Amino acid sequence: MSTIELDGVRKTYRSGSIEFEALCGIDIRIGSGEYVAVLGPSGSGKSTLMNVLGCLDVPTEGTYLLAGEDVSVMSEAQLAEVRNRRIGFVFQQFNLLAMLPAWRNVELPLVYAGLGRAERRERAHAALARVGLADRTENRPGELSGGQQQRVAVARALVTEPAIILADEPTGNLDSSSTADVLDLLDELHGAGRTIVLITHEHDVAARAGRRLVISDGRITSDERREVVR
Amino acid sequence: MSWLETFRAGVEAVRAHRLRSALTMLGIVIGISSVILTVGLGQGAQNQVKDQISALGSNLLIVSPGSSTDSSGLRGGFGSASTLTLQDAAAIGDDSVVPDAAAVAPTTSGSVSLTAGETNWTTSVAGTTTSWLGVRARELSSGRFFTDAEVEQTANVVVLGPDTASELFSFGSPVGQTVIVDGTELTVIGVLASTGSSSSGSSEDDVAVMPIGTAKLVTGASGSSVSTIYVEAASAETLGAAYQEVQALLLNLHGVAESDADFSIATQDSLVETANSTNRTLTVLLGGIAAISLLVGGIGVMNIMLVSVTERVREIGLRKALGATPRVIRRQFLVEASVLGLAGGVLGVGLGVLGAQVLPGLIDQPVAVSVVATLGAIGTALALGIGFGVYPASRAARLTPIDALRSE
Ligand SMILES: Nc1ncnc2c1ncn2[C@@H]1O[C@H](COP(=O)(O)OP(=O)(O)OP(=O)(O)O)[C@@H](O)[C@H]1O
Ligand SMILES: [Mg+2]
C-alpha cells in the first residue's frame, strides 16, 4: 500500500508576468515504510517537491493522495491538521525557535495537537532522550552545536510519532560526524517502520536509502531501488 | 490549543521582548492614567462643589441682590447693588404672602478682625436672625445661639465657627469669653459644630455669626440692606412653589418687571448645575486630550504588532508547518496584543491611582477615582489591544506556510 501517491503533479510559480514550472508532471508512489532519497542538481525542484509532499504548498495541477486522502482539495486548517498528525519535518536550517529551550521546541507539534502540558513535557523529554540529548533539554538553540540543534529538530519531527518524515537536506549544514549522527537517527526511524523522504546533494548520504529518485528540471529522470550498503 | 495556553504563550512573547513591550505599553499607560486623572479631577471638583452647596442647608432658596438700574440709566452687575432689605425678608416671612416658606434668614456679610487677648484672627462675619441656625442646617457644639430678644436689642454676642474658635482660643472653652471687634466687646455665647465638609477653601467652619444689627455696627454698614436672604421651603416638594412666591413678592415690592429683576434666586440644584457645567466643559476637554493620547497608544500597539509579525514570519511559518491553523495563529497574535493592552491598562490604572493620591497635595484640588472609571479604563485598554491587534493578527494568519518559511 502506498502512503504517498502523486499523479501528474505540476507546480508553476508566477512572479509578475513570468511563469516558471518547477515541477512538470510528477508521478510517484511511495509505499509505507520506504526510505527514499531525492537527488538532483540545484534548482531542479527538490524542495518544491518536498513542500508539496509535506502539504506546505499545494500543486498547481495533478492529484496528491496522502494515506488515501486527497489533500489537493483540503482547506488550510485541514492541511495544518494533516501536517501535524502525519508528517515530521527536518529542515536544512533547523528552524528552531531561538527563545524557547530545547524541550519547548520539541513539544510544539504536541501543543497544536491539543495535548496536555504534563504529557507534552514527558513526551518531549523522551524524544530528546531518543536523539541523545537528555541532558540538553533546558538549553536554548543558541547554546547548542549545529549537530545538536539538528538532533533537536529530529526529536521535534518524531515526537508526534508521524508516519512520514520529510527531511530537506538535513545534513547540508553539518560536519561529517554530526551528519552520521543524524543519518543514524533516520535509519533508526526507518527501522521502526516510518516512511522517510530525504533530499540531498550528496551520494554517500543517499546511499542510506533503499530507493533513489533523481529529479532534473522538474522531472523524474531516474527511479531505482537497490540494496542498502551499511 | 486552549485559551489559557494561548494566554500563557502571549505573556511569554511579551516578556521575551521586555524593552519593546514596555515602550509599547507606555503609550497605553500614559493614556489610561491621564484619563483616570482628568476624569478624577473633574469628578473631585464636582464633588467638592456639591458638598459645599449641600452644606448650605436643605430645600434652600438663596436670594441675592442683583443688578439695578441707577438714575443715570447704567445697569450695575449682579451683586453690585444692595437691593435687598430687611423689609423684603420680613415680607417673605409673612405666612399669608409666602405660605411655602418655612423660615427666612436675612444675612449680611463682611469681614472683621477679632481679638481675644493677644490673639488676632480675621474672619468673615454673618449678621443674621435666629432662623439662620435652622435654615443653614447648622448645629452647636457648645453654648447656645442668640435669641430673638438679642437680635432685637442688637446684643453684643457672637457665635463662632469651630475653626475660628480654635484659632482664637487654643485653651479652654471659648463660651463666656470675650472677643473684641473694632473696639466693641462681644461675648462668645456658643460655638458651631463643624459642617464636616472637609473640602478645602470652604469658610463654613471659619465664621463669626452675630445678630444682624450687631454685625452692621461692627462692620460699619448702615441702612437696612442685606447681602443674602436664605429662605427654607417646608419640603422639597414645595421648593418650586416657594420660588414662585418669593419671586412674585419681590418683583411686586420692588416694582419691577421680571426682565428687570434686581435680585436673583438660586436653588442648590441650580448652583450645583452652574458649577458643574463649567467643570464639565473642562473635564470633557481634558478627557478628550487624554483619549487622544490613548488612541495614539493603541496605534503604538498596532505598530509593534505589525513589526512583530514581520519579524516573526519564519516563526509563523514554522508553527504552521508543525500544525498551527490560521485560527490559532490569529489568536496568538490577538492575545499578544491584548496582553500588551491589558498590562498597559493595569499599569496605567496603578499610575493614575498613585497620581490621584499625590496630585491633590500638589495642586490643592481633590481627585476622585471612581471604580467604574477604573474598570472602564482597563476595559478600554484591553479593547484597544484587541482592536489594534486584529489587523496584524489576520496578516499573520494569512501568511502561507511555505512563503513564511522561505523568507529570511
Ligand atoms: N516562490 C518561488 N517563486 C518563483 N520561483 C521559485 C519559487 N520557489 C522556487 N522557485 C524556482 O523553482 C525552481 C526549483 O526550486 P527548488 O527550491 O525546488 O530547487 P532545489 O532543487 O531545492 O534546489 P537546491 O538544491 O538549491 O535547494 C528553482 O528554479 C527556483 O528558482
Ligand atoms: Mg532545496
Side-chain angles (χ1 to χ4, degrees):
Chain A
M1 195 204 111
S2 312
T3 25
I4 293 173
E5 291 180 45
L6 295 188
D7 277 302
V9 163
R10 292 171 183 274
K11 179 73 198 178
T12 309
Y13 290 114
R14 203 170 274 115
S15 20
S17 58
I18 307 156
E19 286 194 2
F20 180 84
E21 195 160 49
L23 298 177
C24 335
I26 303 269
D27 308 287
I28 5 168
R29 288 183 165 37
I30 297 175
S32 173
E34 270 195 277
Y35 190 160
V36 183
V38 180
L39 286 143
S42 183
S44 56
K46 302 184 298 294
S47 295
T48 306
L49 177 62
M50 144 117 168
N51 294 335
V52 169
L53 292 179
C55 302
L56 293 169
D57 211 351
V58 283
T60 321
E61 235 180 86
T63 55
Y64 171 21
L65 298 187
L66 176 63
E69 286 181 283
D70 188 356
V71 296
S72 41
V73 297
M74 285 187 179
S75 70
E76 246 217 84
Q78 286 172 314
L79 288 175
E81 200 201 324
V82 166
R83 288 194 292 268
N84 183 257
R85 278 209 335 263
R86 299 191 190 280
I87 302 166
F89 290 96
V90 183
F91 303 96
Q92 181 174 358
Q93 295 90 348
F94 318 143
N95 276 332
L96 300 173
L97 298 186
M99 65 205 179
L100 299 180
W103 79 268
R104 294 283 312 273
N105 267 289
V106 174
E107 71 153 5
L108 274 178
L110 302 177
V111 171
Y112 298 120
L115 264 61
R117 240 167 122 71
E119 188 180 357
R120 294 200 312 253
R121 195 189 172 89
E122 189 183 316
R123 281 175 64 172
H125 279 82
L128 280 168
R130 237 168 110 185
V131 300
L133 290 174
D135 55 344
R136 285 282 190 272
T137 55
E138 294 298 335
N139 290 80
R140 285 164 203 269
E143 300 158 2
L144 299 172
S145 75
Q148 287 169 332
Q149 288 185 51
Q150 194 61 305
R151 272 147 67 195
V152 172
V154 172
R156 183 181 63 195
L158 61 82
V159 76
T160 51
E161 306 281 345
I164 303 167
I165 304 264
L166 297 179
D168 190 353
E169 304 196 37
T171 58
N173 285 342
L174 302 180
D175 66 6
S176 57
S177 104
S178 298
T179 296
D181 286 347
V182 169
L183 292 178
D184 287 348
L185 280 169
L186 290 180
D187 278 350
E188 212 181 296
L189 288 169
H190 177 233
R194 313 244 174 269
T195 309
I196 293 178
V197 179
L198 169 77
I199 291 173
T200 182
H201 273 120
E202 296 155 73
H203 282 273
D204 51 336
V205 170
R208 303 266 191 145
R211 181 176 172 191
R212 259 171 260 190
L213 286 176
V214 180
I215 186 167
S216 158
D217 290 333
R219 283 187 184 79
I220 293 185
T221 53
S222 137
D223 180 357
E224 50 182 291
R225 284 162 217 264
R226 54 155 91 169
E227 280 307 302
V228 178
V229 202
R230 285 189 198 252
Chain B
M1 201 172 173
S2 72
W3 279 104
L4 180 68
E5 199 97 51
T6 316
F7 178 76
R8 215 182 265 143
V11 172
E12 211 164 63
V14 166
R15 281 179 45 189
H17 305 277
R18 259 168 253 260
L19 180 63
R20 181 209 283 181
S21 303
L23 289 175
T24 310
M25 280 190 278
L26 198 60
I28 301 266
V29 170
I30 291 173
I32 290 287
S33 56
S34 46
V35 165
I36 286 194
L37 278 181
T38 48
V39 171
L41 267 171
Q43 197 63 52
Q46 287 191 9
N47 291 349
Q48 188 181 32
V49 166
K50 221 164 152 175
D51 282 354
Q52 280 173 0
I53 292 172
S54 61
L56 292 177
S58 53
N59 307 326
L60 210 57
L61 294 176
I62 299 141
V63 188
S64 313
S67 59
S68 65
T69 312
D70 69 12
S71 50
S72 60
L74 287 172
R75 274 172 69 89
F78 275 95
S80 64
S82 321
T83 55
L84 293 176
T85 61
L86 281 169
Q87 289 75 28
D88 290 337
I92 296 171
D94 186 340
D95 272 353
S96 61
V97 186
V98 186
D100 289 303
V104 183
T107 307
T108 64
S109 55
S111 178
V112 289
S113 180
L114 306 178
T115 312
E118 301 286 281
T119 324
N120 221 301
W121 185 248
T122 301
T123 185
S124 58
V125 61
T128 185
T129 62
T130 50
S131 9
W132 186 88
L133 197 64
V135 168
R136 296 294 310 274
R138 298 297 295 261
E139 275 165 15
L140 291 166
S141 64
S142 63
R144 60 176 184 86
F145 205 63
F146 43 81
T147 62
D148 282 330
E150 282 166 329
V151 173
E152 206 86 349
Q153 298 153 11
T154 60
N156 287 341
V157 291
V158 64
V159 174
L160 298 178
D163 290 354
T164 325
S166 61
E167 287 294 342
L168 288 169
F169 305 100
S170 2
F171 306 107
S173 166
V175 177
Q177 309 257 33
T178 304
V179 289
I180 299 168
V181 185
D182 198 25
T184 311
E185 284 194 10
L186 303 180
T187 308
V188 180
I189 55 168
V191 177
L192 293 168
S194 172
T195 54
S197 79
S198 57
S199 46
S200 55
S202 153
S203 61
E204 297 298 316
D205 285 346
D206 183 12
V207 67
V209 189
M210 53 189 84
I212 190 158
T214 317
K216 281 188 177 293
L217 224 80
V218 298
T219 55
S222 58
S224 65
S225 70
V226 296
S227 36
T228 313
I229 302 176
Y230 293 103
V231 181
E232 188 186 10
S235 68
E237 287 73 46
T238 56
L239 189 66
Y243 186 102
Q244 303 291 338
E245 290 160 10
V246 170
Q247 189 180 37
L249 171 71
L250 291 180
L251 289 174
N252 189 23
L253 281 177
H254 295 189
V256 290
E258 191 174 339
S259 54
D260 293 328
D262 54 0
F263 60 92
S264 64
I265 309 175
T267 62
Q268 281 159 298
D269 283 348
S270 73
L271 288 179
V272 170
E273 200 36 56
T274 314
N276 279 0
S277 66
T278 357
N279 265 328
R280 208 172 298 129
T281 316
L282 204 64
T283 307
V284 166
L285 196 72
L286 287 174
I289 294 170
I292 289 172
S293 80
L294 199 54
L295 186 73
V296 173
I299 294 171
V301 169
M302 172 141 98
N303 188 18
I304 285 301
M305 289 312 295
L306 281 175
V307 168
S308 171
V309 168
T310 315
E311 204 181 69
R312 285 154 69 190
V313 166
R314 262 187 97 82
E315 176 190 331
I316 295 165
L318 175 76
R319 287 180 185 272
K320 285 193 156 185
L322 299 180
T325 58
R327 214 165 66 111
V328 166
I329 296 290
R330 187 180 315 116
R331 209 194 265 176
Q332 179 189 339
F333 280 87
L334 214 48
V335 166
E336 268 185 54
S338 320
V339 166
L340 279 176
L342 191 64
V346 170
L347 288 177
V349 164
L351 192 68
V353 169
L354 193 75
Q357 305 296 320
V358 177
L359 205 59
L362 299 178
I363 62 170
D364 197 29
Q365 274 289 320
V367 182
V369 178
S370 78
V371 176
V372 179
T374 305
L375 292 181
I378 293 182
T380 308
L382 183 60
L384 278 175
I386 295 174
F388 285 103
V390 165
Y391 176 63
S394 68
R395 239 173 84 151
R398 273 204 308 271
L399 287 170
T400 66
I402 191 59
D403 290 337
L405 263 181
R406 211 186 268 124
S407 83
E408 283 314 317

